[in-house]
Amino acid sequence: MSYQNLLVEKKDNVAVVTINRPDKLNALNSETMSELKKVFSELKTDDETYVVIITGSGEKAFVAGADISELNKLDVISGKAFAENGQDIFNLIENLDKPVIAAVNGFALGGGCELALACHIRVASENAKFGQPEVNLGIIPGYGGTQRLARLINSGRAMEYILTGDMIDAAEALRIGLVNKVYPQSELMNKVFEMARKIISKGQQAVRLAVKAVNIADEVPSKEGQHYEASLFSIGCGTEDFKEGTKAFLEKRKPGFKNK
Ligand code: COA
């Protein structure tokens, strides 16, 4: 399938989704959002894709936010639908079950920061800048940012960044746990692929169960989460990969996972 505003490349069980509107710093207009919905719906059932990487085109921006020329037309009714549609699409990404890594190669502002937050792992280049500058426009984050940012970096820090609109540079993002790793821009994609390959070398049944289990950690009380964890753990115990993984350890050899 070809897209107007996305580039999608699949190779060696990795799908790379690149938001491709570099002249608008990859701002998310409604067409790009529908394309993201399409591509992630397709990737969910694509047996050949084990890990998804999402990044932005060019060297300046991951995504500089929702497209402000479209935001400008919203009113009370359409604003609610706009936020709910964006939330649904980002929830689709978060609940893909397969790991999604954000390769943040520049500005990740507003909806761009929220997109990175919906991914399971965030890896940034040294020039990356995060932020929720919606207050500068007279609104608040609407694609899940108030919730995910508060859970990831704590509500006190999230409150500060959302109320001031201040940008967070890569070093600070690393310090506060907003990103997992930071690399020079020239190394970013290689390092992200390295991480993807490491994940791909594991049993994919276990990888997907882990994504599901960790995903709900912020949603439910610990006791309920542990109950869910035990159910997913037991599913893992029924897989061929589990038999192979434990047998390989005991035989002092590398496991040959079949992802079954
Ligand atoms: N929506 C629509 N267009 C955007 C955009 C957005 N969120 N962010 C950048 N652009 C466009 C600019 O309008 C400009 O287009 P033009 O060349 O047709 O005028 C182009 O992208 C380049 O941006 P520009 O502002 O000239 O780059 P800069 O290097 O001077 O500044 C930013 C970069 C990221 C600081 C600045 O673009 C910015 O503040 N963007 C908006 C960020 C924001 O508020 N996001 C949250 C939206 S909810």
Coordinates of all heavy atoms in Angstrom, one line a residue, residues 74-153:
L74 N -11.0 24.2 14.8 CA -11.8 23.4 15.7 C -12.7 24.3 16.6 O -12.4 25.4 16.9 CB -10.9 22.6 16.6 CG -10.0 21.5 15.9 CD1 -9.1 20.8 17.0 CD2 -10.9 20.5 15.2
D75 N -13.9 23.7 16.9 CA -14.7 24.3 17.9 C -15.0 23.3 19.0 O -14.4 22.2 19.0 CB -16.0 24.8 17.2 CG -16.8 23.7 16.6 OD1 -16.6 22.5 16.9 OD2 -17.6 24.1 15.6
V76 N -15.9 23.6 19.9 CA -16.2 22.7 21.0 C -16.6 21.3 20.6 O -16.1 20.3 21.1 CB -17.3 23.3 21.9 CG1 -17.7 22.4 23.0 CG2 -16.8 24.6 22.5
I77 N -17.4 21.2 19.6 CA -17.9 19.9 19.1 C -16.8 19.1 18.4 O -16.4 18.0 18.7 CB -19.1 20.0 18.2 CG1 -20.3 20.8 18.9 CG2 -19.6 18.6 17.7 CD1 -20.9 20.1 20.0
S78 N -16.2 19.8 17.4 CA -15.2 19.1 16.5 C -13.9 18.9 17.3 O -13.2 17.9 17.1 CB -14.9 19.9 15.3 OG -14.5 21.2 15.6
G79 N -13.7 19.7 18.3 CA -12.5 19.5 19.2 C -12.5 18.2 19.9 O -11.5 17.5 20.0
K80 N -13.7 17.8 20.4 CA -13.8 16.6 21.2 C -13.6 15.4 20.2 O -12.8 14.5 20.5 CB -15.2 16.5 21.8 CG -15.4 15.3 22.6 CD -15.9 15.6 24.0 CE -15.9 14.4 25.0 NZ -17.1 13.5 24.8
A81 N -14.2 15.5 19.1 CA -14.0 14.4 18.1 C -12.6 14.3 17.6 O -12.0 13.2 17.5 CB -14.9 14.6 16.9
F82 N -11.9 15.4 17.5 CA -10.5 15.5 17.1 C -9.6 14.8 18.1 O -8.8 13.9 17.8 CB -10.1 17.0 16.9 CG -8.7 17.2 16.6 CD1 -8.3 17.3 15.3 CD2 -7.7 17.4 17.6 CE1 -7.0 17.6 14.9 CE2 -6.4 17.6 17.3 CZ -6.0 17.7 15.9
A83 N -9.8 15.1 19.4 CA -9.0 14.5 20.4 C -9.3 13.0 20.5 O -8.4 12.2 20.6 CB -9.3 15.2 21.8
E84 N -10.5 12.6 20.5 CA -10.9 11.2 20.6 C -10.3 10.4 19.4 O -9.8 9.3 19.6 CB -12.4 11.0 20.7 CG -12.9 11.5 22.1 CD -14.4 11.5 22.3 OE1 -15.1 11.4 21.3 OE2 -14.8 11.7 23.4
N85 N -10.4 11.0 18.3 CA -9.8 10.3 17.1 C -8.3 10.0 17.3 O -7.8 8.9 17.1 CB -10.1 11.1 15.8 CG -9.5 10.4 14.6 OD1 -9.8 9.2 14.3 ND2 -8.7 11.1 13.9
G86 N -7.6 11.1 17.7 CA -6.2 11.0 17.9 C -5.9 10.0 19.0 O -4.9 9.2 18.9
Q87 N -6.6 10.0 20.1 CA -6.4 9.1 21.2 C -6.6 7.7 20.7 O -5.8 6.8 21.1 CB -7.4 9.4 22.3 CG -7.0 10.7 23.1 CD -8.1 11.1 24.1 OE1 -9.1 10.4 24.3 NE2 -7.9 12.2 24.7
D88 N -7.6 7.4 19.9 CA -7.9 6.1 19.4 C -6.7 5.6 18.6 O -6.3 4.4 18.7 CB -9.1 6.0 18.5 CG -10.4 6.1 19.3 OD1 -10.3 6.0 20.6 OD2 -11.5 6.3 18.7
I89 N -6.2 6.5 17.7 CA -5.0 6.0 16.9 C -3.8 5.8 17.7 O -3.1 4.8 17.5 CB -4.8 7.1 15.8 CG1 -6.0 7.2 14.9 CG2 -3.5 6.8 15.0 CD1 -6.1 8.4 14.0
F90 N -3.5 6.6 18.7 CA -2.3 6.4 19.5 C -2.5 5.2 20.4 O -1.6 4.5 20.7 CB -2.0 7.7 20.3 CG -1.4 8.8 19.4 CD1 -1.3 8.6 18.1 CD2 -0.9 9.9 20.0 CE1 -0.8 9.6 17.3 CE2 -0.3 10.9 19.2 CZ -0.3 10.8 17.8
N91 N -3.8 4.9 20.8 CA -4.0 3.7 21.6 C -3.8 2.4 20.8 O -3.3 1.4 21.2 CB -5.5 3.7 22.2 CG -5.7 4.7 23.3 OD1 -4.7 5.1 23.9 ND2 -6.9 5.1 23.5
L92 N -4.1 2.6 19.5 CA -3.9 1.4 18.5 C -2.4 1.1 18.5 O -2.0 0.0 18.5 CB -4.4 1.8 17.2 CG -4.1 0.9 16.0 CD1 -4.9 -0.4 16.1 CD2 -4.5 1.6 14.7
I93 N -1.6 2.2 18.5 CA -0.1 2.0 18.5 C 0.3 1.4 19.8 O 1.1 0.4 19.8 CB 0.6 3.4 18.2 CG1 0.2 3.9 16.8 CG2 2.1 3.3 18.4 CD1 0.7 5.3 16.5
E94 N -0.1 1.9 20.9 CA 0.3 1.4 22.2 C -0.2 -0.1 22.4 O 0.5 -0.9 23.0 CB -0.3 2.3 23.3 CG 0.1 1.9 24.7 CD -0.4 2.9 25.7 OE1 -1.7 2.9 25.9 OE2 0.3 3.6 26.4
N95 N -1.3 -0.4 21.8 CA -1.8 -1.8 22.0 C -1.6 -2.7 20.8 O -2.3 -3.7 20.6 CB -3.3 -1.7 22.3 CG -3.6 -1.0 23.6 OD1 -2.9 -1.2 24.6 ND2 -4.5 -0.1 23.6
L96 N -0.5 -2.3 20.0 CA -0.2 -3.2 18.9 C 0.3 -4.6 19.3 O 0.2 -5.5 18.5 CB 0.9 -2.5 18.1 CG 1.2 -3.0 16.7 CD1 0.1 -2.6 15.7 CD2 2.5 -2.5 16.1
D97 N 0.7 -4.7 20.6 CA 1.3 -5.9 21.1 C 2.7 -6.1 20.7 O 3.6 -6.5 21.4 CB 0.5 -7.2 20.8 CG -0.9 -7.1 21.5 OD1 -1.1 -6.2 22.4 OD2 -1.8 -7.8 21.1
K98 N 3.0 -5.8 19.4 CA 4.4 -5.9 19.0 C 5.1 -4.6 19.4 O 4.5 -3.6 19.4 CB 4.5 -6.0 17.4 CG 3.7 -7.1 16.9 CD 3.5 -7.0 15.4 CE 2.6 -8.0 14.9 NZ 2.3 -8.0 13.4
P99 N 6.4 -4.7 19.8 CA 7.1 -3.5 20.2 C 7.2 -2.4 19.2 O 7.4 -2.7 18.0 CB 8.5 -4.0 20.5 CG 8.4 -5.5 20.7 CD 7.2 -5.9 19.8
V100 N 6.9 -1.2 19.6 CA 7.0 0.0 18.7 C 8.1 0.9 19.3 O 7.9 1.3 20.5 CB 5.7 0.7 18.6 CG1 5.8 1.9 17.6 CG2 4.5 -0.2 18.2
I101 N 9.1 1.2 18.6 CA 10.2 2.0 19.1 C 10.1 3.4 18.3 O 10.1 3.4 17.1 CB 11.6 1.4 18.8 CG1 11.7 0.0 19.3 CG2 12.7 2.3 19.4 CD1 12.9 -0.8 19.0
A102 N 10.1 4.5 19.1 CA 10.1 5.8 18.5 C 11.6 6.2 18.4 O 12.3 6.2 19.4 CB 9.4 6.8 19.4
A103 N 12.0 6.5 17.1 CA 13.4 7.0 16.9 C 13.2 8.5 16.7 O 12.8 9.0 15.7 CB 13.9 6.4 15.6
V104 N 13.4 9.2 17.8 CA 13.1 10.6 17.8 C 14.3 11.5 17.3 O 15.3 11.6 18.1 CB 12.6 11.1 19.3 CG1 12.2 12.5 19.3 CG2 11.5 10.2 19.7
N105 N 14.2 11.9 16.1 CA 15.3 12.5 15.4 C 15.3 14.0 15.4 O 15.9 14.6 14.5 CB 15.4 12.0 14.0 CG 14.1 12.2 13.3 OD1 13.0 12.0 13.8 ND2 14.1 12.6 12.0
G106 N 14.5 14.7 16.3 CA 14.5 16.2 16.3 C 13.3 16.6 17.1 O 13.0 15.9 18.1
F107 N 12.6 17.7 16.7 CA 11.5 18.1 17.5 C 10.4 17.1 17.7 O 10.0 16.5 16.7 CB 10.8 19.3 16.8 CG 11.7 20.6 16.8 CD1 12.2 21.1 15.7 CD2 11.9 21.3 18.0 CE1 12.9 22.3 15.7 CE2 12.7 22.4 18.1 CZ 13.2 22.9 16.9
A108 N 10.0 16.9 18.9 CA 8.8 16.0 19.2 C 7.9 16.8 20.1 O 8.0 16.8 21.3 CB 9.3 14.7 19.9
L109 N 7.1 17.6 19.5 CA 6.3 18.6 20.2 C 4.8 18.3 20.1 O 4.4 17.8 19.0 CB 6.6 20.0 19.6 CG 8.0 20.5 19.7 CD1 8.2 21.8 18.9 CD2 8.6 20.6 21.1
G110 N 4.1 18.7 21.1 CA 2.6 18.5 21.0 C 2.3 17.0 20.7 O 2.7 16.1 21.3
G111 N 1.5 16.9 19.6 CA 1.1 15.5 19.1 C 2.3 14.7 18.8 O 2.2 13.4 18.9
G112 N 3.5 15.3 18.5 CA 4.7 14.5 18.2 C 5.2 13.9 19.5 O 5.7 12.7 19.5
C113 N 5.2 14.7 20.6 CA 5.6 14.1 21.9 C 4.6 13.0 22.3 O 5.0 12.0 22.8 CB 5.6 15.3 22.9 SG 6.3 14.8 24.5
E114 N 3.3 13.3 22.1 CA 2.3 12.3 22.4 C 2.5 11.0 21.6 O 2.2 9.9 22.1 CB 0.9 12.9 22.2 CG 0.7 14.0 23.3 CD -0.6 14.8 23.0 OE1 -0.7 15.4 21.9 OE2 -1.5 14.8 23.8
L115 N 2.9 11.2 20.4 CA 3.1 10.0 19.5 C 4.3 9.2 20.1 O 4.2 7.9 20.3 CB 3.4 10.4 18.1 CG 3.8 9.3 17.1 CD1 2.7 8.2 17.0 CD2 4.1 9.9 15.7
A116 N 5.3 9.9 20.5 CA 6.5 9.2 21.1 C 6.1 8.5 22.4 O 6.5 7.4 22.7 CB 7.6 10.1 21.3
L117 N 5.2 9.2 23.2 CA 4.8 8.6 24.4 C 3.9 7.3 24.3 O 3.9 6.5 25.1 CB 3.9 9.6 25.2 CG 4.7 10.8 25.8 CD1 3.8 11.9 26.3 CD2 5.6 10.4 27.0
A118 N 3.2 7.3 23.1 CA 2.4 6.1 22.9 C 3.2 4.9 22.4 O 2.7 3.7 22.4 CB 1.3 6.4 21.8
C119 N 4.5 5.1 22.1 CA 5.4 4.0 21.7 C 5.9 3.3 22.9 O 5.9 3.9 24.0 CB 6.5 4.6 20.8 SG 6.0 5.3 19.3
H120 N 6.4 2.1 22.8 CA 6.8 1.4 23.9 C 8.2 1.8 24.4 O 8.5 1.7 25.6 CB 6.8 -0.1 23.6 CG 5.4 -0.6 23.2 ND1 5.2 -1.1 22.0 CD2 4.2 -0.5 23.8 CE1 3.9 -1.4 21.8 NE2 3.3 -1.0 23.0
I121 N 9.1 2.2 23.5 CA 10.4 2.6 23.8 C 10.8 3.9 23.0 O 10.4 4.0 21.9 CB 11.4 1.5 23.4 CG1 11.2 0.2 24.3 CG2 12.9 1.9 23.6 CD1 12.0 -1.0 23.9
R122 N 11.5 4.8 23.7 CA 11.9 6.0 23.0 C 13.4 6.1 22.9 O 14.0 6.1 24.0 CB 11.3 7.3 23.7 CG 9.8 7.5 23.5 CD 9.1 8.2 24.6 NE 9.1 7.4 25.8 CZ 8.2 6.4 26.0 NH1 7.3 6.1 25.1 NH2 8.3 5.6 27.1
V123 N 13.9 6.3 21.7 CA 15.4 6.5 21.6 C 15.5 7.8 20.8 O 14.8 8.0 19.8 CB 16.0 5.3 20.8 CG1 17.5 5.5 20.7 CG2 15.7 4.0 21.4
A124 N 16.4 8.7 21.4 CA 16.4 10.0 20.8 C 17.8 10.4 20.2 O 18.8 9.8 20.7 CB 16.0 11.1 21.8
S125 N 17.8 11.3 19.3 CA 19.1 11.8 18.9 C 19.5 13.0 19.8 O 18.6 13.6 20.4 CB 19.1 12.3 17.4 OG 18.0 13.2 17.2
E126 N 20.7 13.4 19.8 CA 21.2 14.5 20.7 C 20.5 15.8 20.4 O 20.3 16.6 21.3 CB 22.7 14.7 20.6 CG 23.5 13.5 21.2 CD 25.0 13.5 20.9 OE1 25.4 14.3 20.0 OE2 25.7 12.8 21.6
N127 N 20.0 16.0 19.2 CA 19.3 17.3 18.9 C 17.8 17.2 19.2 O 17.1 18.2 18.9 CB 19.6 17.6 17.4 CG 18.9 16.6 16.5 OD1 19.0 15.4 16.7 ND2 18.2 17.1 15.4
A128 N 17.3 16.1 19.7 CA 15.9 16.0 19.9 C 15.4 17.0 21.0 O 16.1 17.3 21.9 CB 15.5 14.6 20.4
K129 N 14.2 17.5 20.8 CA 13.6 18.4 21.7 C 12.1 18.0 21.9 O 11.4 17.9 20.9 CB 13.7 19.8 21.3 CG 15.0 20.4 21.4 CD 15.0 22.0 21.5 CE 16.2 22.6 22.0 NZ 17.4 22.4 21.3
F130 N 11.8 17.7 23.2 CA 10.4 17.3 23.5 C 9.7 18.5 24.1 O 10.3 19.4 24.6 CB 10.5 16.1 24.5 CG 11.1 14.9 23.9 CD1 12.5 14.8 23.9 CD2 10.3 13.8 23.5 CE1 13.0 13.6 23.4 CE2 10.9 12.7 23.0 CZ 12.2 12.6 22.9
G131 N 8.3 18.4 24.0 CA 7.6 19.4 24.7 C 6.1 19.3 24.4 O 5.7 18.7 23.4
Q132 N 5.3 19.9 25.3 CA 3.9 20.0 25.1 C 3.5 21.4 25.1 O 3.1 22.0 26.2 CB 3.1 19.2 26.2 CG 3.4 17.7 26.3 CD 2.8 16.9 25.2 OE1 3.2 15.7 25.0 NE2 1.9 17.4 24.4
P133 N 3.7 22.1 24.0 CA 3.6 23.6 24.0 C 2.1 24.1 23.7 O 1.9 25.2 23.3 CB 4.5 24.0 22.8 CG 4.5 22.9 21.9 CD 4.2 21.6 22.7
E134 N 1.1 23.2 23.9 CA -0.2 23.5 23.5 C -0.7 24.8 24.2 O -1.5 25.5 23.7 CB -1.2 22.4 23.8 CG -1.1 21.2 22.9 CD 0.0 20.2 23.2 OE1 0.8 20.5 24.1 OE2 0.0 19.1 22.6
V135 N -0.3 25.0 25.5 CA -0.7 26.3 26.2 C -0.4 27.5 25.4 O -1.1 28.5 25.5 CB -0.2 26.4 27.6 CG1 -0.9 25.6 28.6 CG2 1.3 26.2 27.7
N136 N 0.7 27.5 24.6 CA 1.0 28.6 23.8 C -0.1 28.9 22.7 O -0.2 30.0 22.2 CB 2.3 28.4 23.0 CG 3.5 28.2 24.0 OD1 3.5 28.8 25.1 ND2 4.5 27.5 23.6
L137 N -0.9 27.9 22.4 CA -1.9 28.0 21.4 C -3.3 28.2 22.1 O -4.3 28.2 21.4 CB -2.0 26.8 20.5 CG -0.7 26.4 19.8 CD1 -0.8 25.1 19.1 CD2 -0.3 27.5 18.8
G138 N -3.3 28.2 23.4 CA -4.6 28.3 24.1 C -5.4 27.1 24.3 O -6.6 27.1 24.6
I139 N -4.7 25.9 24.2 CA -5.3 24.6 24.4 C -4.4 23.7 25.3 O -3.4 24.2 25.7 CB -5.7 23.9 23.1 CG1 -4.5 23.9 22.1 CG2 -7.0 24.4 22.5 CD1 -4.6 22.9 21.0
I140 N -4.9 22.5 25.5 CA -4.1 21.5 26.2 C -3.8 20.3 25.3 O -4.4 20.2 24.3 CB -4.8 21.1 27.6 CG1 -6.0 20.3 27.2 CG2 -5.1 22.3 28.4 CD1 -6.6 19.5 28.5
P141 N -2.9 19.5 25.7 CA -2.6 18.2 24.9 C -3.9 17.4 24.9 O -4.7 17.4 25.8 CB -1.6 17.5 25.7 CG -0.9 18.5 26.6 CD -1.9 19.5 26.9
G142 N -4.2 16.8 23.7 CA -5.5 16.1 23.5 C -5.3 14.7 23.0 O -6.3 14.0 22.8
Y143 N -4.1 14.3 22.7 CA -3.8 12.9 22.2 C -3.2 12.0 23.3 O -2.4 11.2 23.0 CB -2.9 13.0 21.0 CG -3.5 13.5 19.7 CD1 -2.6 13.7 18.6 CD2 -4.8 13.8 19.5 CE1 -3.1 14.2 17.4 CE2 -5.3 14.3 18.3 CZ -4.5 14.5 17.2 OH -5.0 14.9 16.0
G144 N -3.7 12.2 24.5 CA -3.2 11.4 25.6 C -2.0 11.9 26.4 O -1.6 11.3 27.3
G145 N -1.5 13.1 26.0 CA -0.3 13.6 26.6 C -0.4 13.9 28.1 O 0.6 13.6 28.8
T146 N -1.5 14.4 28.5 CA -1.6 14.8 30.0 C -1.5 13.5 30.8 O -1.0 13.5 31.9 CB -3.0 15.5 30.3 OG1 -4.1 14.6 29.9 CG2 -3.1 16.8 29.6
Q147 N -2.0 12.4 30.3 CA -2.0 11.1 31.0 C -0.7 10.4 30.9 O -0.1 10.0 31.9 CB -3.2 10.2 30.5 CG -4.5 10.9 30.6 CD -4.8 11.4 32.0 OE1 -4.9 10.7 33.0 NE2 -5.0 12.8 32.1
R148 N -0.2 10.2 29.7 CA 1.0 9.4 29.5 C 2.2 10.1 30.0 O 3.1 9.5 30.6 CB 1.2 9.0 28.0 CG 0.2 8.0 27.5 CD 0.6 7.4 26.2 NE -0.3 6.4 25.8 CZ -1.3 6.6 24.9 NH1 -1.4 7.8 24.3 NH2 -2.1 5.6 24.6
L149 N 2.3 11.4 29.8 CA 3.5 12.2 30.3 C 3.5 12.1 31.9 O 4.6 11.9 32.5 CB 3.5 13.6 29.8 CG 4.8 14.4 30.0 CD1 6.0 13.7 29.2 CD2 4.7 15.8 29.7
A150 N 2.4 12.3 32.5 CA 2.3 12.3 34.0 C 2.7 10.9 34.5 O 3.4 10.8 35.5 CB 0.9 12.7 34.4
R151 N 2.3 9.9 33.8 CA 2.7 8.5 34.3 C 4.2 8.2 34.0 O 4.8 7.5 34.9 CB 1.8 7.5 33.5 CG 0.4 7.6 34.0 CD -0.5 6.5 33.5 NE -1.7 6.5 34.2 CZ -2.9 6.4 33.7 NH1 -3.1 6.1 32.4 NH2 -4.0 6.4 34.4
L152 N 4.7 8.7 33.0 CA 6.1 8.4 32.6 C 7.1 9.2 33.4 O 8.1 8.6 33.9 CB 6.3 8.6 31.1 CG 7.7 8.1 30.6 CD1 7.8 6.6 30.7 CD2 7.8 8.5 29.1
I153 N 6.9 10.5 33.6 CA 7.9 11.3 34.2 C 7.5 11.8 35.6 O 8.2 12.6 36.2 CB 8.4 12.4 33.3 CG1 7.4 13.5 33.0 CG2 9.0 11.9 32.0 CD1 7.9 14.7 32.3

